[in-house]
Amino acid sequence: MTDDTPVFWSAPYQKEIFAKIVEVNATELRFDQVLFYPGGGGQPHDLGNMIYQEYTLPIIEVYTVKGEIWHKIDTKETTDFQVDEDVKLELNWNRRYNLMKSHTAQHLLSYYIREMFECETIKANFDEGKIEIETSKELNLNDVIRVLEESNYRLEENVDVISIIVNQETFQEEYKRKIRDKTSDEKKVRMIQLGDFDLVCCGGIHVKKLAEVGGIFLETVKNRIIKLYTSRKGINYTNRQRANLHALEEITEKKDSKLIELVKNKLKENKNLEEGNILLLKLLFQKIHTWSEKINGYSVVLLDIPTLDRITVQAALKEVKEEMFIAIIGRNAVLYIVSTNEHIKANGIIDKIKEKTGAKGGGNKGFAQMSVKDIEEPLHLVREVLSSL
Ligand SMILES: [Zn+2]
């Protein structure tokens, strides 16, 4: 096509290029060649460096203004930029390639979402190895799994991803009626075709073969939002989830007396996997009524699990169905109190402990918390307060 085709379209695998500065606006530059993708269609702009004289300067933002692509430079080292000077531009290739893979995977997913469920993709966002798709209607977990099975099957077939650039006239005559999703009224229309089955207007960056995507993996499906991983990120995520499931399986095989120890240990291992923690806690709370003791006629559970934080406790709480009062000492010596018993208010108990100790805390009748850092035997205090009700 014409000379002004950006390098990110004509040569998406090019990692670096020599260019000339053609315009300077303080810390923003324009070059005679465009290697960096300026963002669009949910795909973030590229990052990388500009080698200028003896300096290596990060390119921190890339964007389009009136059809021209500008680069914001990190100018800690120099701000002295001159038009016509030669520079070398280098992409953060790892990031860029992962974005190419995720974005191409989304084309394929959106195709199948439509083919199989007559459902449109409203919006898609990308991060390295991550995809988030908003669909026009709610798909359930099984629907999404079926889409993934078909999509991953196609990845194995190693379909070509073809970039087509035509003028508006040719687009109207030859392509417009075949386009899935939105058409384009730009003078120059860029399309992406997967094999011989999917054609869309898209200005983004893509891999050349579907197989490069290296697998698409589910994270979650919730309220018309599907979150997915691709490539190595997906493989690692899936394996970690499998490990979590193993832990859960192990726990459910044991008797309740061992459960608490196991949960404590597993929570330590999983401290970076919030979702996994919540799963474990849910399991714990489902079983918790079997360990409750009676204090003053109330079913009460007192626990000391120093790896727990508030988010995990609150998420797991939604699982407690029995009428129950639970006090947990969690991370950083915070006492969490949960009550599903109409007659004991969590914040009321905290208030009573505050009166005795002067510690700070509060909450509502279902959930309250307080710091017990310098308090001796806080669970004993809880027991005392409950007995005196
Ligand atoms: Zn695209």
Side-chain angles (χ1 to χ4, degrees):
M1 195 72 201
T2 49
D3 298 324
D4 59 342
T5 302
V7 178
F8 58 76
W9 279 2
S10 59
Y13 290 77
Q14 190 144 342
K15 301 173 185 65
E16 50 184 48
I17 203 166
F18 290 96
K20 245 184 214 327
I21 299 175
V22 294
E23 204 176 341
V24 179
N25 182 5
T27 63
E28 285 134 84
L29 303 181
R30 213 158 60 73
F31 306 111
D32 64 342
Q33 301 198 66
V34 185
L35 177 68
F36 282 58
Y37 181 63
Q43 209 169 354
H45 64 76
D46 282 325
L47 295 172
N49 289 316
M50 174 178 82
I51 318 295
Y52 177 67
Q53 297 167 354
E54 73 268 36
Y55 306 108
T56 297
L57 306 169
I59 295 180
I60 50 179
E61 228 182 299
V62 187
Y63 47 86
T64 309
V65 182
K66 292 181 187 145
E68 287 174 337
I69 296 174
W70 286 86
H71 307 72
K72 192 172 175 57
I73 314 292
D74 180 332
T75 50
K76 276 188 207 88
E77 291 191 62
T78 181
T79 51
D80 179 27
F81 303 122
Q82 301 299 330
V83 168
D84 275 343
E85 286 273 2
D86 291 318
V87 297
K88 187 181 172 193
L89 304 172
E90 294 175 343
L91 280 176
N92 175 342
W93 174 249
N94 214 14
R95 176 176 179 276
R96 157 71 166 273
Y97 189 45
N98 277 317
L99 287 167
M100 283 161 67
K101 289 194 247 184
S102 301
H103 177 66
T104 310
Q106 178 258 313
H107 279 246
L108 182 64
L109 292 163
S110 292
Y111 166 78
Y112 276 116
I113 286 171
R114 186 193 193 154
E115 278 294 298
M116 297 166 72
F117 300 103
E118 288 166 11
C119 175
E120 303 300 327
T121 297
I122 308 274
K123 212 163 69 187
N125 286 308
F126 305 91
D127 203 339
E128 278 180 87
K130 278 181 137 182
I131 312 169
E132 195 179 304
I133 295 176
E134 185 182 340
T135 53
S136 60
K137 61 183 187 192
E138 200 157 341
L139 297 179
N140 66 36
L141 191 59
N142 277 331
D143 297 342
V144 176
I145 291 292
R146 283 177 56 203
V147 166
L148 285 175
E149 278 168 2
E150 291 297 331
S151 301
N152 280 314
Y153 180 70
R154 278 289 176 144
L155 293 186
E156 278 182 8
E157 288 185 332
N158 205 11
V159 171
D160 286 318
V161 181
I162 305 148
S163 162
I164 304 166
I165 303 171
V166 296
N167 60 34
Q168 183 59 232
E169 202 182 23
T170 313
F171 177 69
Q172 292 285 341
E173 281 167 18
E174 292 178 32
Y175 295 97
K176 197 175 175 181
R177 68 201 149 76
K178 297 187 244 172
I179 294 287
R180 169 177 67 77
D181 211 351
K182 291 184 203 79
T183 59
S184 165
D185 52 13
E186 301 269 321
K187 264 196 259 167
K188 192 154 99 174
V189 181
R190 177 10 159 61
M191 290 166 283
I192 290 295
Q193 186 176 326
L194 302 184
D196 57 0
F197 58 93
D198 189 47
L199 186 68
V200 290
C201 293
C202 181
I205 29 175
H206 312 81
V207 291
K208 284 194 166 156
K209 293 274 191 183
L210 273 188
E212 288 175 65
V213 170
I216 312 172
F217 305 82
L218 180 67
E219 185 190 6
T220 52
V221 186
K222 216 190 257 173
N223 308 330
R224 296 194 289 112
I225 305 283
I226 308 170
K227 291 186 182 176
L228 305 130
Y229 289 104
T230 53
S231 313
R232 198 175 59 222
K233 203 160 204 159
I235 295 168
N236 289 341
Y237 174 78
T238 305
N239 283 335
R240 277 199 307 268
Q241 287 302 98
R242 183 62 208 140
N244 270 341
L245 210 57
H246 259 301
L248 284 176
E249 283 164 1
E250 210 176 288
I251 283 170
T252 48
E253 282 163 16
K254 308 277 169 154
K255 291 278 167 273
D256 285 352
S257 57
K258 296 266 183 198
L259 191 51
I260 182 84
E261 259 328 291
L262 268 166
V263 169
K264 270 191 200 181
N265 292 334
K266 292 298 170 194
L267 285 174
K268 260 181 223 157
E269 286 168 23
N270 290 339
K271 61 176 179 280
N272 298 320
L273 295 172
E274 216 167 74
E275 295 253 315
N277 286 353
I278 291 168
L279 276 176
L280 287 168
L281 254 267
K282 278 179 178 177
L283 194 89
L284 174 69
F285 284 178
Q286 278 160 14
K287 298 215 166 199
I288 214 161
H289 62 278
T290 60
W291 321 339
S292 65
E293 54 178 304
K294 293 275 183 218
I295 298 177
N296 205 4
Y298 302 118
S299 287
V300 173
V301 178
L302 305 175
L303 295 172
D304 187 352
I305 309 182
T307 43
L308 282 190
D309 56 30
R310 183 179 57 81
I311 292 167
T312 318
V313 172
Q314 281 187 314
L317 276 181
K318 292 182 185 138
E319 302 301 307
V320 179
K321 298 203 171 56
E322 289 76 18
E323 201 169 73
M324 188 76 60
F325 177 92
I326 303 166
I328 301 172
I329 301 177
R331 190 172 293 170
N332 301 326
V334 176
L335 173 69
Y336 299 104
I337 289 189
V338 176
S339 178
T340 56
N341 186 321
E342 276 299 299
H343 305 289
I344 2 178
K345 294 187 173 71
N347 52 352
I349 302 297
I350 291 280
D351 286 344
K352 289 215 164 69
I353 300 174
K354 270 155 67 177
E355 278 170 29
K356 286 178 190 282
T357 62
K360 288 195 169 73
N364 55 43
K365 64 178 179 156
F367 178 83
Q369 65 181 66
M370 76 186 300
S371 169
V372 290
K373 258 197 186 84
D374 301 313
I375 299 173
E376 246 177 87
E377 296 190 66
L379 289 179
H380 182 76
L381 260 175
V382 174
R383 194 183 291 272
E384 215 178 275
V385 169
L386 284 169
S387 311
S388 67
L389 284 181

